[in-house]
Amino acid sequence: MSGQSITDRITAAQHSVTGSAISKTVCKATTHEIMGPKKKHLDYLIQCTNEMNVNIPQLADTLFERTANTSWVVVFKSLTTTHHLMVYGNERFIQYLASRNTLFNLSNFLDKSGLQGYDMSTFIRRYSRYLNEKAVSYRQVAFDFTKVKRGSDGLMRTMNTEKLLKTIPTIQNQMDVLLDFNVNANELTNGVINAAFMLLFKDAIRLFAAYNEGIINLLEKYFDMKKVQCKDGLDIYKKFLTRMTRISEFLKVAEQVGIDRGDIPDLSQAPSSLLDALEQHLASLEGKKVKDSTAASRATTLSNAVSSLANTGISFTKVDEREKQAALEEEQARLKALKEQRLKELQKNPAAAITDSSPVSTEGGTINSTPAIDLFSTPSSNYSTSKGANDLLDLQPAFQQPLSHSTSNTWVRGFTASPTPQQPQNSRGLNADFDSIFGNNANANNLDSAALLTVSSTLNTFLSLSVCVCVRAHLSTCAHMYLCEHILYTTVCLSLWVVVVLSVLLCLHLGSPNSSPANPSLCLASF
């Protein structure tokens, strides 16, 4: 059974109604369930940070709003989600956090709902301080120490002396705040704080690796520095030794909670003789009396110290590379599972593999390479000249209406229309026998009805085409509405007059002595 509270469900439903998928995902990632944020929600938010059309300030503000909750679970998970996006999300996210004047103001947070709330509130205050310091460090140096390039050609190893002396204190401050989290193995009792500790553990490894390379660069330049620089460098190295002890204790806690021993780097202490050599060099620059030491002994001491710290850096790098390899293997396994799922779907429904938009048909194992018809291409001149004269006549069969039902219709009381045989139509034009209509054909008596139908069909076609032309002109522009109505009215009137005249002539012809008596129903039907 899901541990989401009613408040979580109502909040998620509200975001669903407003259509904010990001706010809904943030709400689901920071529910009241005492467990870490779900991976699917974190992956979706990471993808959102990589989309250019996503509003990063809105995403960050939504997380800040969740930290205003009174429940330690919601606040702790909001901080964990924010930390996850700072580490694995697009750099735009941490850039926005660094540009803000204030981030998390949780120095007085306290959940009094229970004993666990009192305990977790302490770690929430410490965790929020670290995230604030992480953003401040990015603002000061314009990069994230956990993501810099490492190695002999890395950023911290190639930095000049002045910039190095300003950058290392920033790393020290961030490392101090991280180690101030100060959690014991018996205090990692739930999934929420465990998720936060894992992120802090990974940050500690990467941050100390950059810190270690900065110290190596500092030692290599120490004996060439000025007196003031040597004094600052010596103070930095002394603080480094203190933090090295604290990071060792932090890694022991990680080992106690079940983190693989291979994921915990080995720390190699620098020889104590190095500190004496550094102090003697500074004293000599200040004019104090020191015991004599040759340049060869100093070089040997320095070489041993650098080698020891370099081994520590290699150990941290191996851990980082192992983590990257595990992430790649996980991603490959996920892609493989998706491919297998897709293949199963295609086997169940083969028709889904062929989309409606596909121009190629594979029916019967053959590929249809017939070129698609371009509906927007300009017709060739030959086609337009040869077909232009017959376009209107080609439309005629579409306007013809069957009159086979006329045999059962009564037009005038006492008169019924006699059945008329249908004449075949020519597909290229009108099949009108005008000689049969006007008496110049010997087969006129047999074709009277067909002639009348042909003439009526011709007039209907003419009228329909006129209406179509007028309507199309009307749709083209509303400014010619009056002209279209006038043309339509004139066309209708002329058509009616022609129908009347032809009908009278046909009635006179059919009623002449040389022909059979006129059929009144046909005359009336023509009207």
Side-chain angles (χ1 to χ4, degrees):
M1 182 176 179
S2 176
Q4 294 184 16
S5 65
I6 298 177
T7 305
D8 296 332
R9 297 180 184 275
I10 293 176
T11 306
Q14 290 176 349
H15 293 309
S16 297
V17 172
T18 57
S20 178
I22 294 179
S23 300
K24 180 181 177 181
T25 307
V26 170
C27 177
K28 286 184 174 292
T30 58
T31 58
H32 288 77
E33 297 177 275
I34 304 181
M35 58 179 295
K38 294 183 179 179
K39 189 176 185 303
K40 62 179 181 179
H41 299 145
L42 296 177
D43 291 342
Y44 179 80
L45 294 177
I46 290 174
Q47 182 63 29
C48 289
T49 61
N50 293 320
E51 298 293 337
M52 298 304 297
N53 59 343
V54 172
N55 192 343
I56 296 296
Q58 180 183 358
L59 172 58
D61 292 341
T62 305
L63 290 169
F64 294 149
E65 291 174 2
R66 296 295 287 175
T67 58
N69 199 291
T70 58
S71 173
W72 71 267
V73 180
V74 176
V75 176
F76 217 148
K77 293 174 75 171
S78 301
L79 296 176
T80 306
T81 303
T82 304
H83 190 186
H84 195 88
L85 295 180
M86 294 173 73
V87 175
Y88 299 105
N90 192 281
E91 195 172 2
R92 295 188 303 148
F93 185 79
I94 192 173
Q95 284 177 353
Y96 172 74
L97 297 183
S99 66
R100 291 175 61 99
N101 294 327
T102 58
L103 293 180
F104 301 105
N105 187 15
L106 300 173
S107 58
N108 298 322
F109 177 81
L110 182 61
D111 187 352
K112 302 178 181 179
S113 61
L115 181 60
Q116 192 177 24
Y118 278 95
D119 296 336
M120 294 296 108
S121 297
T122 302
F123 296 108
I124 286 176
R125 293 192 294 267
R126 297 173 182 174
Y127 195 24
S128 63
R129 283 186 57 234
Y130 171 70
L131 296 182
N132 290 339
E133 186 62 31
K134 186 178 178 69
V136 171
S137 299
Y138 189 92
R139 184 191 309 165
Q140 292 176 349
V141 298
F143 58 84
D144 189 355
F145 290 111
T146 63
K147 298 180 180 179
V148 296
K149 182 181 179 181
R150 296 196 293 269
S152 58
D153 58 344
L155 178 64
M156 299 302 298
R157 293 288 295 271
T158 57
M159 194 175 291
N160 58 51
T161 304
E162 295 180 359
K163 190 174 181 180
L164 184 65
L165 293 175
K166 293 180 180 179
T167 303
I168 292 181
T170 304
I171 302 181
Q172 290 177 340
N173 294 334
Q174 186 174 345
M175 179 63 70
D176 289 341
V177 179
L178 188 151
L179 296 176
D180 285 342
F181 192 73
N182 196 21
V183 63
N184 296 323
N186 56 0
E187 292 173 328
L188 300 174
T189 56
N190 58 76
V192 180
I193 191 173
N194 289 343
F197 180 78
M198 286 302 301
L199 291 174
L200 290 173
F201 169 73
K202 294 177 181 178
D203 266 16
I205 291 178
R206 297 166 182 167
L207 189 62
F208 190 82
Y211 190 15
N212 185 71
E213 290 191 349
I215 294 298
I216 294 176
N217 190 14
L218 177 68
L219 294 177
E220 291 175 344
K221 292 180 169 62
Y222 182 82
F223 294 101
D224 297 329
M225 292 180 182
K226 300 177 182 179
K227 182 175 68 174
V228 177
Q229 293 176 340
C230 286
K231 186 176 181 179
D232 294 338
L234 180 61
D235 183 61
I236 289 174
Y237 181 72
K238 289 180 178 180
K239 291 180 179 179
F240 171 75
L241 296 178
T242 303
R243 286 163 181 78
M244 201 167 192
T245 304
R246 295 185 64 187
I247 193 67
S248 299
E249 296 175 355
F250 184 85
L251 295 179
K252 289 180 181 179
V253 175
E255 186 177 357
Q256 292 174 3
V257 297
I259 296 179
D260 189 5
R261 188 66 183 86
D263 295 335
I264 299 177
D266 296 326
L267 298 180
S268 300
Q269 294 286 345
S272 58
S273 58
L274 176 62
L275 181 60
D276 296 336
L278 298 178
E279 290 177 345
Q280 291 178 9
H281 178 72
L282 178 61
S284 64
L285 292 178
E286 292 176 347
K288 298 179 181 180
K289 291 184 179 181
V290 294
K291 59 181 180 180
D292 296 335
S293 60
T294 61
S297 62
R298 286 187 307 179
T300 303
T301 303
L302 179 61
S303 175
N304 294 334
V306 170
S307 177
S308 176
L309 295 178
N311 292 333
T312 301
I314 293 174
S315 178
F316 279 90
T317 303
K318 288 181 179 179
V319 172
D320 201 12
E321 292 295 333
R322 193 179 298 111
E323 181 183 355
K324 292 180 180 179
Q325 185 65 27
L328 290 176
E329 292 177 356
E330 182 182 357
E331 187 67 21
Q332 291 177 357
R334 186 183 304 176
L335 291 175
K336 184 178 180 180
L338 291 175
K339 289 180 180 180
E340 293 177 354
Q341 181 180 0
R342 181 57 178 168
L343 290 175
K344 291 180 180 178
E345 292 177 356
L346 294 178
Q347 290 176 358
K348 293 180 180 179
N349 187 15
I354 304 176
T355 59
D356 295 337
S357 59
S358 177
V360 180
S361 174
T362 59
E363 181 178 2
T366 58
I367 298 178
N368 184 8
S369 58
T370 305
I373 300 175
D374 189 359
L375 299 178
F376 301 97
S377 62
T378 305
S380 60
S381 57
N382 296 334
Y383 177 83
S384 59
T385 54
S386 62
K387 297 291 184 179
N390 296 329
D391 282 343
L392 293 177
L393 295 180
D394 289 341
L395 293 174
Q396 190 274 335
F399 292 96
Q400 291 184 3
Q401 299 181 0
L403 298 177
S404 60
H405 63 278
S406 61
T407 57
S408 60
N409 294 336
T410 303
W411 297 92
V412 182
R413 185 180 300 274
F415 297 95
T416 58
S418 60
T420 58
Q422 295 183 358
Q423 296 295 331
Q425 297 290 337
N426 189 357
S427 59
R428 298 299 303 166
L430 299 176
N431 190 11
D433 192 354
F434 291 97
D435 292 336
S436 300
I437 297 175
F438 294 102
N440 296 328
N441 196 334
N443 298 325
N445 293 335
N446 296 330
L447 301 177
D448 289 338
S449 299
L452 181 58
L453 288 176
T454 304
V455 174
S456 300
S457 177
T458 304
L459 295 175
N460 288 336
T461 302
F462 175 71
L463 179 60
S464 301
L465 290 175
S466 302
V467 172
C468 291
V469 172
C470 294
V471 171
R472 182 170 182 179
H474 171 68
L475 294 175
S476 300
T477 172
C478 295
H480 300 87
M481 182 182 295
Y482 176 77
L483 178 60
C484 293
E485 292 178 352
H486 181 70
I487 294 173
L488 180 61
Y489 175 76
T490 304
T491 305
V492 171
C493 292
L494 291 176
S495 301
L496 290 176
W497 276 108
V498 172
V499 170
V500 170
V501 172
L502 290 178
S503 300
V504 171
L505 292 176
L506 286 172
C507 290
L508 293 176
H509 173 69
L510 294 174
S512 61
N514 296 328
S515 63
S516 60
N519 194 337
S521 62
L522 292 177
C523 295
L524 291 176
S526 63
F527 284 99

